[in-house]
Amino acid sequence: MHNLKYPLILVCLLTFTACGGGGGSGNKTSAPSSSAVSSSSSSVESSSSSEESSSSTSSSSASVDNLSLKSLVDFPVGVAVSAGNEANSLLLDNTNGTAQRVIAEQHFDQLTAGNIMKMSYLHPGIDTFNFTQADALLEYANNHDMTIHAHTLIWHSDYQVPNWMKNFAGDKAAWSAMLQTHVQTIAAHFSGRVPSWDVVNEAFEDNGSYRNSLFYQKMNKDYIEEAFANARAADATADLYYNDYNLSQGGAKLNAVLAMADDFQTRNIPISGIGFQMHVNIDWPRISDIKASFAAVVARGLKVKITELDIPINNPYDGSYNFPNNYVSELTPTHAQRQKVRYCEIAKAYIDTVPANLRGGFSVWGIWDGDTWLNAALFNNNHVDWPLLFDINFQPKPALTGVANALAGQPCS
Ligand code: G3I
C-alpha cells in the first residue's frame, strides 16, 4: 500500500571532471543523437549488471560525457537547485558548487529554486520583499541559457509561510487584498523574465477535498482563482500552473483538480496547465495510470509539466521506508538498473501522451543524491536513498541514461 503523505524523488547525473565546465548545448533544435545515447545505454547496462556497488557507476561516465539531456528535446528539461544562502547552493564558489554547475549547464535548460522563491524568502515582512537571492539565481540561469520555472506564489506549508502572514489579522476582504499584493508584487518583479509559475501549490487533499490550509480558512477556495487572476494581471505571458503531488495515479485528487480547471476555463480564470510533481515510487503509480492522468489534462487543452520528479529506491511514504519488504541500504546495480528503467518509462510516457504544443517540461527535484529532500530531516527519517540522476560524488547514474533514452526515442531497458 502506498500511503503517501508526501511525494517525491529525483536524480542527477554526469561526471563533472570530464564535462569541462562548458555550457553544454543550449540549442533546443539540435537533433537527438540516438547513437550516442544507445552506446551510453549499453555501457551503463553492463555496469549495472556487474556485481559492483553503486560507487562504480562512475565507470559509465566515459559513455555519457558527451550526453546532454536538454539537447535531445525541444521542451524544457529542468532541475531543482539549492541557491541563495542554502548550504548546498549551486552558486557557491567551492567544489560542491562547481560540480553542480557543470552538471546543470551540461544537461538542463531550466532551473527551479528548491526553496528560495517560496513565500517566506520573497516576502519576509508585510511591507518587505526580498528578491536578492532569486535575482542572483535568475542572472546565473540567464547567463547559461537557462530559464527559471518559478516556484511558488501560494503554498500552505508551514515552513515557508512567513510568520507575519500566519499572524495577519483581517476579514476575507483584507486577506484578499493582502494576497493580491503578495502575488502581484512578486509576479510583476519577474514578469517577462520567467516563462512559468507554480501559482498555487498543493491546495487539495488526496481525497479530493480542498486542503484546510490557512488560506482556505481565511478565504475559502476563492484564494486559488484570485491567485491565478492576480498572477496574470501582473504577468501577461507566463504559463500559470496549478501544481500538486499524487496526481499521476488518477483518482479523487486528480479529478478535483480537473474539475477546478474546467471551472476556471468556463469562467475565464487564467490557467495554462497542471504541474505533476511526481514524487513517485519505483513501482507506483502504474505507467498506464500516469498516461491516463496526463491524457486527461491534454484533453482539456492544458499543458502538462512534470515539475518535481524523483524516484527513491525504498518507499519513503508508507512509514517503513522499505523496498519492497526490507530497507535497501545500498544502491546495487540491480536497483540502479530498475531505477533507470523507471525513469525512462516515465519520461517516455510523457512524450508518448503529451503532444509537443502542450509539453511544459520535464524537471527532476534535485541535482544529486547528496542533496535531496528525501534524505533530509524534513522527512523525519535516518535513511539514505538515491532518488536522483547523479550520485553523491556527482557521477552519472544509470538513471541519467534512462532519461536520455526516453528523450531520444530509444527503448527503455
Ligand atoms: O533555512 C533553514 C536553514 O537556516 C537551516 O540551517 C537549515 C537546517 O536544516 O534548514 C533550513 O530550512 C530548510 C529549507 O528546506 C532550506 O534548506 C527547512 O528546514 C526545510 O523544511 C526545507 O525543506 C524544503 C521543503 O520543500 C519545505 O519548504 C525542501 O528542501 C524542498 O525540497 C521541499 O520541496 C517541496 C516543494 O517545494 C513542493 N513539493 C514537495 C517538495 C518536497 O517536499
Side-chain angles (χ1 to χ4, degrees):
M1 292 296 295
H2 296 275
N3 180 19
L4 302 194
K5 102 179 177 185
Y6 233 82
L8 122 56
I9 295 181
L10 153 24
V11 175
C12 275
L13 66 100
L14 223 13
T15 177
F16 65 93
T17 53
C19 295
S25 171
N27 180 5
K28 300 294 282 181
T29 60
S30 58
S33 172
S34 58
S35 60
V37 175
S38 58
S39 68
S40 67
S41 172
S42 60
S43 170
V44 175
E45 283 172 13
S46 62
S47 169
S48 300
S49 62
S50 77
E51 293 305 311
E52 296 169 293
S53 70
S54 61
S55 62
S56 71
T57 54
S58 60
S59 65
S60 68
S61 60
S63 62
V64 292
D65 281 352
N66 297 321
L67 178 63
S68 170
L69 292 182
K70 64 184 178 182
S71 70
L72 298 174
V73 291
D74 58 5
F75 54 81
V77 181
V79 64
V81 296
S82 298
N85 61 10
E86 292 184 278
N88 285 312
S89 170
L90 95 161
L91 299 181
L92 284 172
D93 186 18
N94 60 18
T95 54
N96 178 316
T98 300
Q100 292 185 69
R101 291 193 297 278
V102 167
I103 292 171
E105 292 163 23
Q106 178 158 352
H107 287 286
F108 300 100
D109 52 22
Q110 186 164 86
L111 304 179
T112 304
N115 279 298
I116 67 158
M117 292 179 72
K118 292 173 179 173
M119 305 175 83
S120 59
Y121 289 82
L122 299 184
H123 196 175
I126 188 167
D127 296 319
T128 305
F129 290 85
N130 187 340
F131 298 113
T132 304
Q133 295 186 33
D135 283 345
L137 182 63
L138 186 57
E139 181 180 11
Y140 165 76
N142 291 163
N143 286 342
H144 295 87
D145 297 322
M146 303 172 187
T147 59
I148 298 275
H149 171 64
H151 173 84
T152 171
L153 288 166
I154 303 275
W155 187 27
H156 71 278
S157 179
D158 183 70
Y159 158 72
Q160 54 81 59
V161 176
N163 284 329
W164 68 264
M165 193 179 284
K166 291 175 189 166
N167 298 321
F168 182 78
D171 59 11
K172 183 179 180 185
W175 269 83
S176 175
M178 181 271 288
L179 288 178
Q180 176 177 353
T181 299
H182 170 79
V183 170
Q184 291 202 1
T185 303
I186 294 171
H189 178 82
F190 294 104
S191 179
R193 301 196 294 150
V194 299
S196 50
W197 269 104
D198 289 333
V199 177
V200 176
N201 196 41
E202 303 175 4
F204 289 92
E205 300 283 2
D206 287 350
N207 66 9
S209 64
Y210 284 98
R211 184 186 295 276
N212 189 30
S213 67
L214 174 67
F215 311 111
Y216 186 84
Q217 291 167 23
K218 301 297 183 182
M219 292 187 62
N220 207 305
K221 66 184 175 66
D222 295 347
Y223 79 92
I224 304 174
E225 64 189 74
E226 290 189 17
F228 278 84
N230 285 325
R232 177 58 75 232
D235 186 329
T237 58
D239 282 340
L240 305 180
Y241 285 93
Y242 174 76
N243 192 52
D244 214 326
Y245 62 86
N246 284 356
L247 298 180
S248 62
Q249 71 266 40
K253 190 174 196 175
L254 177 64
N255 290 339
V257 170
L258 294 173
M260 178 189 72
D262 290 345
D263 175 50
F264 279 17
Q265 291 186 308
T266 299
R267 295 191 292 121
N268 292 319
I269 307 294
I271 183 169
S272 312
I274 304 300
F276 288 75
Q277 292 186 8
M278 299 202 71
H279 297 293
V280 297
N281 288 2
I282 203 144
D283 61 351
W284 179 93
R286 293 178 300 191
I287 294 297
S288 58
D289 290 335
I290 293 172
K291 285 184 169 182
S293 300
F294 291 165
V297 175
V298 168
R300 289 159 167 81
L302 293 171
K303 291 188 175 182
V304 176
K305 186 173 180 68
I306 295 177
T307 52
E308 305 182 16
L309 178 62
D310 47 21
I311 309 178
I313 303 299
N314 296 285
N315 178 3
Y317 307 110
D318 67 354
S320 63
Y321 218 90
N322 288 337
F323 169 80
N325 299 311
N326 296 297
Y327 174 59
V328 173
S329 59
E330 181 184 17
L331 182 63
T332 65
T334 299
H335 291 107
Q337 168 65 18
R338 183 162 181 172
Q339 185 183 54
K340 171 193 174 188
V341 172
R342 179 70 167 157
Y343 261 103
C344 184
E345 289 179 341
I346 289 174
K348 180 171 167 28
Y350 182 70
I351 292 170
D352 287 351
T353 311
V354 183
N357 66 318
L358 295 179
R359 291 175 190 156
F362 176 95
S363 293
V364 290
W365 199 244
I367 290 181
W368 90 112
D369 287 341
D371 187 20
T372 162
W373 74 288
L374 289 173
N375 287 345
L378 167 75
F379 216 72
N380 198 29
N381 68 74
N382 295 313
H383 297 88
V384 175
D385 209 285
W386 316 271
L388 300 179
L389 302 179
F390 290 82
D391 70 16
I392 58 171
N393 297 314
F394 303 100
Q395 298 301 307
K397 293 163 59 185
L400 178 67
T401 303
V403 174
N405 285 343
L407 299 187
Q410 299 295 310
C412 296
S413 61

